[in-house]
Amino acid sequence: MGPINGGPINFSFTRLRHASLRFATLSGANLEMADLSGADLSDARLDGANLNGADLSEALLERADFARARLGGANLAGASLKDARNVTQSQIDEALGDALTILPAHLARPEGWGGAGSQVMSELETRNGRHKPEQNGRPAPTRGDTVSWLVGGPRSHGRTALPQAEPA
């Protein structure tokens, strides 16, 4: 989407999941309660936009302009606001997020959002255990291995593997 002429647009309560809105000019747009989960709003102009209650979970908001945007109750869980422009701490404090929300370096994660993303990963690791390099005397599969449990387990380029059929 490029510039929209004829005044601010009303997308309130619309479903725009996974929409590609890179570089969109949505200055002053009404996006209240819109479902923008998983949308790509990188480099979008959201200055003066009403995003109150909008679902921006897992959205790409990198380098988006948030000058005077309203984010009260907006869901930013898992969203990336890396290098977002003109976003303030008070806007972030009004929004909802989680430990996986990526914020610009100058902003602090609100206390109710949980810890940093790396803390979540270490908690999962603690709960699920670290993967050991060898289990049952066999090397664990590595990236690039072909796994086929029907013919005996992992195979890789450097290990002894069963002969593979030639393509027809």
Side-chain angles (χ1 to χ4, degrees):
M1 278 183 110
I4 298 171
N5 295 320
I9 192 154
N10 185 355
F11 280 145
S12 62
F13 295 93
T14 58
R15 186 172 184 206
L16 298 166
R17 294 180 123 193
H18 305 287
S20 179
L21 298 168
R22 288 183 66 106
F23 298 99
T25 300
L26 297 168
S27 301
N30 184 2
L31 295 159
E32 183 177 16
M33 301 299 291
D35 183 356
L36 292 156
S37 57
D40 185 353
L41 288 152
S42 300
D43 299 290
R45 289 193 52 198
L46 296 167
D47 49 308
N50 178 5
L51 293 160
N52 288 330
D55 184 356
L56 292 159
S57 59
E58 298 181 16
L60 290 176
L61 300 163
E62 298 171 356
R63 298 170 307 281
D65 185 358
F66 286 94
R68 302 174 322 283
R70 291 171 294 200
L71 296 172
N75 180 3
L76 298 173
S80 176
L81 285 90
K82 184 178 178 193
D83 300 322
R85 296 174 289 137
N86 300 313
V87 64
T88 65
Q89 187 66 51
S90 62
Q91 287 171 311
I92 294 299
D93 290 343
E94 292 177 355
L96 308 171
D98 64 7
L100 300 177
T101 305
I102 299 171
L103 294 173
H106 70 280
L107 297 175
R109 183 175 310 280
E111 196 171 309
W113 285 22
S118 59
Q119 288 175 333
V120 169
M121 293 309 292
S122 64
E123 286 172 16
L124 288 173
E125 197 171 86
T126 301
R127 184 174 38 190
N128 297 328
R130 271 192 181 270
H131 294 289
K132 296 180 177 134
E134 254 183 63
Q135 294 178 347
N136 301 329
R138 294 185 196 156
T142 60
R143 185 179 189 100
D145 284 350
T146 303
V147 177
S148 174
W149 299 111
L150 295 175
V151 292
R155 293 181 285 180
S156 71
H157 304 291
R159 297 186 192 136
T160 305
L162 295 174
Q164 295 182 5
E166 292 292 322

